[in-house]
Amino acid sequence: MSKLILSRRRLIQAGAVGAGGLLLSGCDRLTRDPKVLDFLGQAEDLHRVTQRGLAGDALAREFAESQMSPTFRANGSLAVADPVYRAHFAQGFSQWALRLDGMLERPLMLPLTALKQFPQRTQITRHDCVEGWSAIGKWTGPRLATLLDLARLRPEARYLVFHCADLYGGRPYYESIDLVDAFHPQTILAWAMNGRPLEEQHGAPLRLRVERQLGYKHAKFVTRIEAVAALDGIYGGKGGYWEDNGRYAWYAGI
């Protein structure tokens, strides 16, 4: 399994280098690199089946505090212009709440204070960007599975869509995962990074951590989680901002 994961990382990095001789300065700029995009798209189905068949529910590697990166690079949207977000930010998110809806028996509105009262998981993991850089950070938040158990998914629900407060390139940012990743023990909704509440550039007040996938799946500024039967008809219909606009693979397992 380690060879499979290493091969995927090396191919991504090779594509990034081959496009311009250097690693690019932002994941969005890889949309200009057909080598990376073709690899991510064409290998997706085979990679998903192979990885899940071999790894099952295996955990992503976790690290010691001594191995944490001295700085953790922020990319994508670094700030949110939306006036509702700015008002919540000014209030320290004291009146903010996460919305869970869609194909649920019990839709929920969960204030940040409530999210902090659930059992918390802290994990030190490596964030791997499709661009080729990595950083190790410590994340704290409730398991997504805990919230889904409370909300009670309807039988027809197959995916979760994460709606975000930011616009990127003038378009709403969003991501999605299936229920396999949703119920994985390391899939959490992080409100803290490296022992402190998230900074805006890292997705305050809440971001998804889905540790067995590449960084573009780790949606920041999450405001709403929608349970759906299919991804067709949601924005561009491919399951995420980069999937819609940059031909990225929907499944980005590592």
Side-chain angles (χ1 to χ4, degrees):
M1 183 59 191
S2 62
K3 291 182 179 179
L4 174 66
I5 294 173
L6 184 59
S7 174
R8 181 174 171 85
R9 286 178 176 150
R10 282 180 173 169
L11 280 167
I12 291 169
Q13 292 171 359
V17 172
L22 293 171
L23 290 177
L24 301 175
S25 62
C27 289
D28 57 316
R29 297 174 70 180
L30 284 176
T31 58
R32 304 171 190 173
D33 184 350
K35 294 179 182 178
V36 174
L37 300 179
D38 287 345
F39 170 75
L40 288 174
Q42 294 172 12
E44 179 181 357
D45 290 341
L46 176 61
H47 178 68
R48 181 177 66 252
V49 171
T50 302
Q51 185 183 50
R52 287 181 169 171
L54 293 175
D57 291 331
L59 301 181
R61 180 183 175 186
E62 297 191 20
F63 298 81
E65 289 197 4
S66 61
Q67 297 173 291
M68 290 168 56
S69 301
T71 58
F72 196 105
R73 180 175 174 176
N75 66 332
S77 296
L78 304 183
V80 180
D82 176 68
V84 174
Y85 177 91
R86 298 256 51 99
H88 283 303
F89 184 87
Q91 298 171 349
F93 299 103
S94 61
Q95 304 301 311
W96 178 91
L98 172 68
R99 177 181 172 188
L100 288 85
D101 61 10
M103 294 181 171
L104 302 174
E105 298 291 346
R106 186 185 181 191
L108 300 171
M109 290 290 289
L110 296 173
L112 188 58
T113 52
L115 291 168
K116 294 179 181 180
Q117 296 303 311
F118 286 103
Q120 303 290 296
R121 179 179 173 90
T122 295
Q123 55 202 31
I124 301 175
T125 54
R126 184 174 63 200
H127 181 98
D128 292 303
C129 182
V130 68
E131 178 193 12
W133 61 266
S134 299
I136 296 173
K138 180 166 68 173
W139 308 95
T140 298
R143 286 186 57 196
L144 178 56
T146 301
L147 307 189
L148 297 178
D149 287 342
L150 183 63
R152 298 197 297 270
L153 289 165
R154 287 163 48 185
E156 59 268 38
R158 294 183 56 207
Y159 303 95
L160 297 178
V161 178
F162 299 83
H163 301 271
C164 305
D166 60 317
L167 298 178
Y168 200 75
R171 298 170 178 161
Y173 198 94
Y174 80 106
E175 258 303 338
S176 66
I177 58 175
D178 64 14
L179 299 187
V180 174
D181 276 312
F183 283 94
H184 188 272
Q186 290 172 311
T187 299
I188 67 173
L189 296 171
W191 57 268
M193 174 185 174
N194 296 344
R196 299 183 300 274
L198 287 174
E199 298 177 4
E200 183 174 1
Q201 64 178 345
H202 289 297
L206 202 68
R207 72 177 294 168
L208 173 67
R209 294 299 306 177
V210 54
E211 300 297 351
R212 298 197 306 176
Q213 296 213 38
L214 288 167
Y216 65 87
K217 300 295 290 189
H218 299 229
K220 302 195 298 185
F221 313 110
V222 175
T223 61
R224 176 189 173 207
I225 302 175
E226 180 186 11
V228 300
L231 300 173
D232 298 344
I234 299 174
Y235 298 107
K238 296 181 180 178
Y241 176 91
W242 290 112
E243 294 89 324
D244 290 345
N245 299 295
R247 294 170 52 205
Y248 281 31
W250 173 79
Y251 182 72
I254 52 175

